[in-house]
Amino acid sequence: MAIAAANLMADVHEGIGRIGRIPVRNLWLLMLYASDLFRVLENKNVAVEDNPDDIPDLVAEMLCHQVERRIQRNLSYGYQSREAVLGRVRGRIDLLNTERHRLLDRGKVACRFNELTVDTARNRYVLSAIKEISKIVNRDGLTHRCRSLAASLRRMGVIGERPRRGEESIDSFGRHDAHDQPMVSVAQLALNLALPTESAGTKNLSLPDREITWIRKLYEKGLAGFYDVVLAGKGWRVDAGKTIDWLVENKSPGIDKILPSMRTDIILNHFKAGRRIVIDTKFNSVVTRGWYREETLRSGYIYQIYAYLRSQEGHGDPLAENAAGLLLHPSVGDMVNEAVVIQNHEIRFVTVDLAATAKEIREQLLQVLELRRQF
């Protein structure tokens, strides 16, 4: 049946990196779907599903191209705080250290000042991405290109360690540094692909963090990114992480503090066709053991999707009246595709085989949208 959470913590198999029974190349595919770069590749008719093993090479090529462009046009500079003993005043005087070490007797003064440098958190982040992606690319020439660019950045003065999370805003851009955005976007994807491996041998395969929450979020974000790009221009509007309101008619004074909100994973609207599909992604088995039978659908999930659908009726939104619900679970072989109509709302329970080929995964994600069929 579909993947149980505990199975995701399984060992890495020899020859091909896996998390549980999911090939790493398919996790790379989800990472690409979740990134902004997938839109660029789709517009260029680059079929990444043809050979997902080449995704690191593709990302490394794009990263090298973006870094080379930035080097040609000069890297962005930033200010870095420094402390130094100088022969003249620069910035602010550090009175305590100046007096403690009797620097004035030697004609010196301790100063604190900001210095313009290319050794910024953003440039160090990009340097780290180049070094990490070079470890998992397949082509030797591309590996050499990455290492040469890393050496060039170091010669230019980017010498610090990779910045920690929260040290500085890496992906917050203003009017004067917006040209860094494509480079940073590719660097983020490169670092995701090149997370530390647990596999043995000479060939490193990147594996995501063992935290189940990480891969669950990747699954949700990857599917949302896929639908947003693939359905663009086909009449569909895709909303990811949208909060829908309870249609409250009356309330007590303190209810707003304790009433939970409803946050959907993905909502697909086709206004011309009058269709709405509310998708809830779940990263566990679609069924569980029941009290009186071997397998049963998870009742909590049914209540959740039922609330998403029924709570929006009767308030002037025509798409809400017959909206469909889709509970989309992962699977690694055994597939489920079942449906029921409850009070004019079709609810489907479907799995996507994450152990399949990349092309098959793409086809499955598109096929699950054909909800209205006879059954």
Side-chain angles (χ1 to χ4, degrees):
M1 219 15 92
I3 306 166
N7 289 339
L8 293 173
M9 316 298 276
D11 292 334
V12 180
H13 304 284
E14 266 191 47
I16 179 171
R18 295 175 184 266
I19 292 291
R21 289 178 288 166
I22 306 174
V24 169
R25 64 170 69 95
N26 289 345
L27 294 179
W28 286 343
L29 187 67
L30 286 177
M31 292 176 192
L32 187 60
Y33 285 162
S35 73
D36 294 335
L37 299 179
F38 181 52
R39 183 179 300 278
V40 176
L41 297 174
E42 189 79 4
N43 290 339
K44 292 182 178 180
N45 295 318
V46 177
V48 294
E49 294 89 358
D50 286 345
N51 195 350
D53 285 327
D54 288 341
I55 288 178
D57 285 16
L58 180 63
V59 173
E61 285 267 15
M62 298 177 71
L63 179 58
C64 288
H65 174 68
Q66 291 296 335
V67 173
E68 287 164 351
R69 287 186 61 187
R70 293 302 305 126
I71 290 177
Q72 290 173 358
R73 301 180 183 184
N74 294 325
L75 293 174
S76 295
Y77 282 75
Y79 285 99
Q80 187 177 61
S81 296
R82 283 197 57 196
E83 297 181 5
V85 175
L86 304 174
R88 60 182 179 85
V89 175
R90 182 177 179 185
R92 295 184 177 182
I93 299 175
D94 185 346
L95 294 174
L96 181 60
N97 281 324
T98 298
E99 183 65 25
R100 175 184 295 169
H101 299 288
R102 304 180 63 86
L103 297 177
L104 290 176
D105 294 346
R106 293 181 279 131
K108 302 288 186 180
V109 63
C111 299
R112 294 176 179 173
F113 55 92
N114 292 325
E115 186 175 59
L116 198 61
T117 178
V118 295
D119 193 27
T120 63
R122 181 178 295 164
N123 290 335
R124 285 185 272 122
Y125 182 81
V126 172
L127 174 60
S128 298
I130 294 175
K131 292 193 294 185
E132 292 302 321
I133 197 69
S134 70
K135 300 175 183 177
I136 61 171
V137 296
N138 295 313
R139 289 187 279 124
D140 291 338
L142 189 53
T143 301
H144 177 73
R145 185 180 174 190
C146 290
R147 291 174 179 172
S148 296
L149 275 175
S152 296
L153 290 175
R154 286 192 291 266
R155 284 194 299 270
M156 295 175 69
V158 184
I159 56 176
E161 298 294 326
R162 175 180 171 180
R164 299 177 181 176
R165 287 184 179 179
E167 176 182 329
E168 187 174 325
S169 180
I170 304 297
D171 54 359
S172 178
F173 303 94
R175 183 176 58 184
H176 302 295
D177 59 358
H179 38 257
D180 281 345
Q181 189 165 4
M183 177 178 67
V184 173
S185 295
V186 188
Q188 288 174 335
L189 178 56
L191 284 171
N192 283 338
L193 296 179
L195 286 168
T197 179
E198 297 177 8
S199 59
T202 58
K203 181 65 176 178
N204 288 330
L205 288 172
S206 66
L207 293 177
D209 194 290
R210 279 185 173 270
E211 292 293 335
I212 185 64
T213 53
W214 188 95
I215 197 169
R216 181 186 295 124
K217 290 178 180 178
L218 173 63
Y219 179 66
E220 176 187 336
K221 193 174 181 180
L223 265 55
F226 173 82
Y227 286 129
D228 187 39
V229 172
V230 173
L231 299 181
K234 299 180 180 179
W236 289 94
R237 172 181 167 180
V238 180
D239 292 309
K242 182 178 181 181
T243 300
I244 57 177
D245 297 324
W246 296 99
L247 301 179
V248 176
E249 297 177 356
N250 200 359
K251 59 183 178 180
S252 59
I255 191 63
D256 288 338
K257 297 180 180 179
I258 58 175
L259 184 67
S261 60
M262 291 187 288
R263 180 188 173 277
T264 58
D265 291 341
I266 308 167
I267 297 179
L268 309 180
N269 287 317
H270 197 299
F271 295 98
K272 187 175 181 180
R275 294 187 64 190
R276 172 173 294 163
I277 304 173
V278 180
I279 302 176
D280 208 45
T281 59
K282 301 295 185 185
F283 206 81
N284 56 8
S285 175
V286 67
V287 295
T288 186
R289 178 176 292 275
W291 284 103
Y292 304 108
R293 47 185 157 174
E294 189 69 22
E295 293 180 336
T296 180
L297 293 168
R298 298 172 184 269
S299 57
Y301 294 166
I302 302 176
Y303 303 152
Q304 183 180 18
I305 198 72
Y306 179 80
Y308 288 165
L309 300 174
R310 291 283 290 167
S311 66
Q312 304 302 299
E313 294 178 359
H315 288 266
D317 183 355
L319 268 63
E321 301 305 316
N322 60 356
L326 174 62
L327 285 164
L328 195 53
H329 292 251
S331 173
V332 282
D334 297 325
M335 303 298 289
V336 171
N337 188 353
E338 302 296 341
V340 64
V341 175
I342 301 176
Q343 293 172 290
N344 201 40
H345 295 283
E346 181 180 3
I347 302 177
R348 189 168 293 278
F349 310 89
V350 182
T351 55
V352 174
D353 187 1
L354 292 185
T357 67
K359 282 186 175 181
E360 290 170 340
I361 291 175
R362 182 187 179 101
E363 292 171 2
Q364 290 172 31
L365 291 177
L366 293 175
Q367 288 172 358
V368 297
L369 300 185
E370 300 300 324
L371 298 180
R372 298 184 180 280
R373 67 168 191 169
Q374 297 297 320
F375 50 86

